[in-house]
């Protein structure tokens, strides 16, 4: 860290503006500025007001009178040059973020906002997360949704493709608890006035929603109100909302808002003065510096308070220093103990942040922050983009890696242990927006397999996820075999590649019903959601099964489950696998065709008095009441 930045003053109060009809107060942190002018535009009339140097490296001005809906920027004099910038703490913006806007946030509240109630949620392991891009959700011509590609798509009920449910009704039917939205903080890569496509991992403003998903990007109030309408609608439907947040880098440097306000301060620099690039995007932010940390915490808390957000997923969380992440967790859970926090425990490149300070896998222990479990992902399906196979697609000798994931990656025994302290610290997944979709990965790994077998591999993959301890995470469209036509990095590939193709739900309705059944099983049976390592060690035991298969028993009404015993078996092989049954009267609720909580009378399996023969490429769940 550059020593001079350590010496910069720190301000702990409120930044940005506070509005009232009588007056509005503006405060900007820019300690090396020589002068700062507030540039106001009201009703087409432009005014420049010199601000006063204030405490903690800030500049302050109170403007008398009602200036609601005025546009504003700051003009900063530094080294004899004037630089104009938008307020990093702006709460509303014009189209494409060229100006901050003074709004009365009460005007942005939709009807019923004050009575918004978060869906009940007790423990992180009770979550079933569904990751989705706002535009992908509704843009397909057959989605049956009017507000295609917009926030308001999430407010529509009764949408259909033929007989099948789409949109919000689909999410409710599937049974997820949390909707994880790819970035909706304002990003720079899409022209909000003409439209376009991007995932949004190119942040511009941290306090304001992206305008391209709004019906009217030129109305500063509209995008705010529409996001609130979306969240209100999802809450009413029983679904909590998680935002994917990108604090590890900005879209550009030099001309970025942060660099204009205080050059260099908000970024990590190498010894030669160039930007460190651990993000792979040309720069990385300096989370360890007090005013960058403050920007992160202030904006996160703002999204919780103003937008009623229920959690955050941190992009490239490994680039954030451990102390900052711990402080974020403490501050956010003080505000709302039920918030779900998780992120990627890695970087995308070399960083100047020392390894011991990076929030990578293992650093999350005891923090109430979860991390993506790529160990489990790779064990199930192989490496994300190549032709390698995993346990579910026919690779041999993967049992121990699968067992680690099954127990929530805790220290279960001398042989079975991984990186977590508690099961709530692992996000279990087989695919996400990055890399090949699960269906495309299976096609690449097993190109000569029949579609029938590839479907069985797909089902088994997420059957493992949804019957393991920890927090399960699904990529949108997996439930109807989503394909991106082999594109493994579709961040700007447009609608044709990225859109959810709702006709696939109709075509693969049996796959959808299978996922839906697994989700219901998990939600209604807490044995799959044990909360402590002690309970997992005492109530989950692995039982003997043939090579390249895994079987385990959940016993003694684990986590107060209504079923006394639950037996789970994974057979990814091409042969029948026979497993000896523990004592009990066993009934099947999950096999290779059906999943749920009701006994299945018959299937491809053979249930005998003391054993069961499991068909090829099949996951099974049985229960016994005695």
């Amino acid at each position: 860290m550059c020593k001079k930045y350590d010496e910069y003053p720190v301000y702990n109060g409120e930044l940005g503006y506070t509005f009232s009809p009588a007056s509005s107060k503006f405060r900007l942190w820019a300690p090396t500025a020589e002068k700062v002018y507030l540039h106001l535009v009201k009703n087409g009339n432009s005014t420049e007001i010199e601000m006063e140097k204030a405490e903690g490296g800030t500049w302050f001005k109170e403007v008398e009178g009602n200036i609601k809906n005025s546009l504003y920027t700051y003009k900063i004099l530094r080294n004899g040059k004037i630089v104009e910038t938008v307020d990093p703490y702006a709460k509303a913006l014009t189209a494409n973020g060229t100006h901050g806007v003074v709004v009365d946030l009460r005007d942005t509240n939709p009807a019923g906002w004050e009575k918004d109630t978060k869906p009940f949620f007790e423990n992180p392991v009770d979550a079933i997360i569904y990751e989705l891009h706002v535009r992908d959700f509704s843009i397909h011509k057959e989605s049956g949704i009017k507000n295609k590609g917009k926030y308001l798509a999430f407010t529509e009920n009764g949408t259909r493709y033929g007989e099948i449910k789409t949109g919000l009704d689909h999410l409710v039917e599937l049974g997820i608890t949390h909707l994880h939205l790819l970035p909706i903080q304002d990003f720079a890569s899409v022209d909000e006035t003409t439209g376009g496509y991007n995932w949004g991992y190119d942040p511009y403003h941290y306090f304001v929603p992206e305008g391209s998903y709004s019906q009217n990007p030129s109305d500063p109030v509209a995008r705010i109100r529409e996001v609130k309408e979306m969240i209100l609608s999802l809450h009413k439907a029983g679904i909590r909302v998680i935002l994917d947040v990108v604090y590890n880098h900005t879209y550009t440097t030099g001309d970025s808002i942060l660099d204009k306000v205080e050059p260099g301060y908000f970024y990590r620099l190498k010894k030669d003065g160039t930007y460190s690039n651990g993000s792979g995007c040309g720069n990385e932010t300096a989370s360890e510096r007090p005013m960058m940390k403050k920007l992160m915490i202030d904006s996160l808390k703002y999204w919780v308070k103003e937008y009623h957000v229920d959690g955050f997923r941190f992009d490239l969380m490994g680039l954030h220093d451990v102390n900052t992440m711990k402080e974020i967790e403490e501050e956010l859970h003080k505000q709302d103990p039920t918030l779900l926090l998780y992120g990627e425990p890695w970087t995308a490149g070399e960083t100047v942040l020392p390894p011991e300070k990076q929030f990578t896998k293992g650093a999350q222990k005891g923090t109430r922050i979860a991390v993506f479990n790529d160990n489990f992902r790779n064990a199930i399906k192989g490496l994300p983009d190549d032709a390698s196979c995993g346990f579910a697609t026919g690779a041999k000798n993967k049992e121990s890696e699968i067992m680690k994931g099954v127990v929530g990656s805790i220290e279960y025994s001398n042989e079975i242990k991984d990186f977590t302290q508690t099961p709530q610290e692992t996000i279990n997944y087989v695919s996400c927006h990055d890399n090949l979709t699960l269906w495309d990965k299976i096609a690449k790994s097993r190109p000569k397999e029949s579609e029938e077998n590839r479907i069985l591999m797909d089902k088994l993959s997420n059957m493992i996820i949804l019957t393991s301890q920890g927090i399960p995470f699904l990529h949108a469209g997996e439930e109807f075999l989503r394909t991106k036509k082999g594109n493994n990095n579709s961040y700007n590939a447009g609608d044709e590649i990225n859109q959810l193709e709702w006709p696939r739900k109709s075509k693969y309705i049996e796959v959808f019903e299978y996922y839906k059944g697994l989700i219901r099983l998990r939600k209604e049976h807490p044995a799959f959601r044990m909360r402590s390592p002690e309970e997992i060690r005492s109530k989950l035991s692995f039982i003997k099964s043939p090579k390249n298969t895994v079987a385990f028993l959940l016993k003694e009404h684990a986590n107060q489950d209504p079923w006394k015993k639950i037996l789970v078996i994974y057979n990814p092989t091409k042969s029948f696998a026979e497993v000896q049954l523990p004592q009990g009267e066993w009934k099947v609720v999950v096999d290779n065709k059906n999943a749920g909580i009701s006994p299945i009378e018959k299937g491809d399996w053979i249930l005998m008095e003391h054993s069961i023969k499991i068909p090829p490429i099949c996951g099974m769940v049985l229960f016994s009441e005695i």
Side-chain angles (χ1 to χ4, degrees), residues 130 132 136-137 139-140 476-477 480 482 498-503:
Y130 186 88
L132 180 65
D136 294 354
F137 180 59
I139 200 69
H140 193 278
F480 44 79
R482 182 179 187 175
N498 286 289
Q499 64 189 344
L500 286 188
E501 297 177 73
W502 292 104

Side-chain angles (χ1 to χ4, degrees), residues 282-300:
N283 65 89
E284 64 187 79
T285 53
S287 59
E288 66 279 10
R289 293 198 189 122
M291 297 307 290
M292 182 62 208
K293 181 195 297 184
K294 177 177 170 60
L295 176 71
M296 293 171 71
I297 292 173
D298 287 351
S299 55
L300 290 163

Side-chain angles (χ1 to χ4, degrees), residues 127-195:
I128 297 167
I129 303 169
Y130 186 88
E131 181 204 41
L132 180 65
H133 181 271
V134 170
R135 186 176 173 93
D136 294 354
F137 180 59
S138 55
I139 200 69
H140 193 278
K141 63 181 180 180
E142 303 283 6
S143 69
I145 297 168
K146 294 175 187 171
N147 295 286
K148 286 182 167 54
K150 305 298 182 183
Y151 298 121
L152 293 180
F154 294 89
T155 67
E156 296 183 40
N157 296 107
T159 61
R160 297 287 185 274
Y161 166 73
E163 295 299 311
I164 68 150
K165 295 177 180 179
T166 65
L168 179 62
D169 289 3
H170 169 82
L171 300 180
V172 173
E173 183 185 18
L174 186 58
I176 59 161
T177 66
H178 287 68
L179 182 65
H180 160 150
L181 293 174
L182 266 63
I184 66 164
Q185 287 172 314
D186 184 72
F187 54 84
S189 55
V190 173
D191 186 329
E192 294 176 348
T193 61
T194 59

Side-chain angles (χ1 to χ4, degrees), residues 80 160 166 201 226 228 301 320 382 470 548:
R160 297 287 185 274
T166 65
Y201 292 94
E226 288 167 15
K228 291 180 177 181
K301 290 173 73 173
H320 300 323
N548 296 312

Side-chain angles (χ1 to χ4, degrees), residues 144-367:
I145 297 168
K146 294 175 187 171
N147 295 286
K148 286 182 167 54
K150 305 298 182 183
Y151 298 121
L152 293 180
F154 294 89
T155 67
E156 296 183 40
N157 296 107
T159 61
R160 297 287 185 274
Y161 166 73
E163 295 299 311
I164 68 150
K165 295 177 180 179
T166 65
L168 179 62
D169 289 3
H170 169 82
L171 300 180
V172 173
E173 183 185 18
L174 186 58
I176 59 161
T177 66
H178 287 68
L179 182 65
H180 160 150
L181 293 174
L182 266 63
I184 66 164
Q185 287 172 314
D186 184 72
F187 54 84
S189 55
V190 173
D191 186 329
E192 294 176 348
T193 61
T194 59
Y197 188 92
N198 204 282
W199 281 345
Y201 292 94
D202 46 304
Y204 194 39
H205 291 272
Y206 287 111
F207 289 81
V208 185
E210 167 62 17
S212 63
Y213 302 142
S214 169
Q215 293 284 25
N216 186 1
S218 298
D219 179 352
V221 169
R223 67 175 84 179
I224 300 173
R225 183 186 294 122
E226 288 167 15
V227 170
K228 291 180 177 181
E229 288 182 67
M230 171 180 72
I231 292 172
L232 181 62
S233 172
L234 286 161
H235 282 174
K236 284 179 178 176
I239 298 170
R240 286 182 164 231
V241 181
I242 295 165
L243 298 191
D244 197 332
V245 290
V246 189
Y247 290 101
N248 63 79
H249 72 278
T250 58
Y251 183 55
T252 57
T253 50
D255 62 347
S256 75
I257 293 165
L258 299 181
D259 259 345
K260 285 180 177 179
V261 164
E262 194 51 65
Y265 176 88
F266 292 95
Y267 299 91
R268 294 190 187 117
L269 304 176
K270 298 178 187 175
K271 288 180 179 178
D272 63 3
T274 60
Y275 292 91
S276 182
N277 187 24
S279 69
C281 299
N283 65 89
E284 64 187 79
T285 53
S287 59
E288 66 279 10
R289 293 198 189 122
M291 297 307 290
M292 182 62 208
K293 181 195 297 184
K294 177 177 170 60
L295 176 71
M296 293 171 71
I297 292 173
D298 287 351
S299 55
L300 290 163
K301 290 173 73 173
Y302 177 76
W303 281 94
V304 174
K305 180 183 177 186
E306 189 62 38
Y307 290 91
H308 302 180
V309 164
D310 306 293
F312 299 98
R313 175 266 193 195
F314 294 85
D315 185 64
L316 295 182
M317 187 167 61
L319 286 175
H320 300 323
D321 67 287
V322 171
N323 290 339
T324 291
M325 286 309 305
K326 286 181 175 178
E327 198 170 322
I328 284 171
E329 184 275 318
E330 185 180 345
E331 287 292 315
L332 288 178
H333 281 139
K334 201 185 298 178
Q335 188 175 4
D336 179 354
T338 70
L339 294 177
L340 205 53
L341 306 176
Y342 58 97
E344 295 179 302
W346 50 72
T347 69
E350 192 176 337
T351 170
V352 297
L353 183 67
E356 66 274 12
K357 293 186 178 180
Q358 297 170 21
F359 202 87
T360 48
K361 211 181 295 167
Q364 88 294 331
K365 285 185 177 180
T367 62

Side-chain angles (χ1 to χ4, degrees), residues 2 91 145 232 236 344 372 416 463 517 570:
C2 296
K91 305 300 193 299
I145 297 168
L232 181 62
K236 284 179 178 176
E344 295 179 302
F372 282 97
I416 303 170
M463 186 266 187
Y570 310 140

Side-chain angles (χ1 to χ4, degrees), residues 400-551:
S400 64
E401 295 303 305
I402 296 299
M403 292 160 85
K404 288 177 185 178
V406 162
V407 299
S409 296
I410 62 164
E411 188 169 331
Y412 176 82
S413 67
N414 288 335
E415 298 78 29
I416 303 170
K417 55 187 173 183
D418 212 348
F419 62 89
T420 73
Q421 185 170 307
T422 65
Q424 72 172 47
E425 293 172 7
T426 174
I427 301 291
N428 296 332
Y429 74 117
V430 277
S431 66
C432 66
H433 68 277
D434 281 323
N435 309 112
L436 294 170
T437 68
L438 176 58
W439 185 239
D440 289 347
K441 164 64 180 172
I442 294 170
K444 186 168 185 175
S445 300
R446 304 303 302 263
K448 295 179 182 177
E449 287 291 346
S450 65
E451 180 175 86
E452 181 184 6
N453 276 357
R454 282 189 277 130
I455 289 174
L456 291 174
M457 291 171 180
D458 178 283
K459 286 178 173 179
L460 178 58
S461 296
N462 270 314
M463 186 266 187
I464 294 170
I465 293 295
L466 286 162
T467 53
S468 293
Q469 305 299 318
I471 303 171
F473 172 107
L474 300 171
H475 179 217
E478 278 187 325
E479 67 277 18
F480 44 79
L481 309 181
R482 182 179 187 175
T483 177
K484 293 184 182 177
K485 302 173 178 65
N487 189 321
N488 70 336
N489 188 19
S490 63
Y491 74 98
N492 64 353
D495 298 329
E496 184 185 354
I497 296 296
N498 286 289
Q499 64 189 344
L500 286 188
E501 297 177 73
W502 292 104
R504 288 181 77 85
K505 182 182 176 184
S506 182
K507 181 178 180 181
Y508 296 111
I509 191 67
E510 289 179 10
V511 178
F512 168 78
E513 292 292 341
Y514 191 82
Y515 276 67
K516 173 184 165 185
L518 288 172
I519 288 171
R520 185 177 181 192
L521 173 71
R522 186 178 183 89
K523 287 172 78 173
E524 296 195 19
H525 287 278
F528 298 106
R529 300 180 275 114
M530 288 187 271
R531 299 179 180 184
S532 72
E534 294 80 14
E535 188 172 24
I536 293 169
R537 285 191 286 264
S538 68
K539 297 295 177 71
L540 188 157
S541 57
F542 291 97
I543 65 172
K544 189 176 179 182
S545 66
K547 188 164 177 55
N548 296 312
T549 70
V550 170

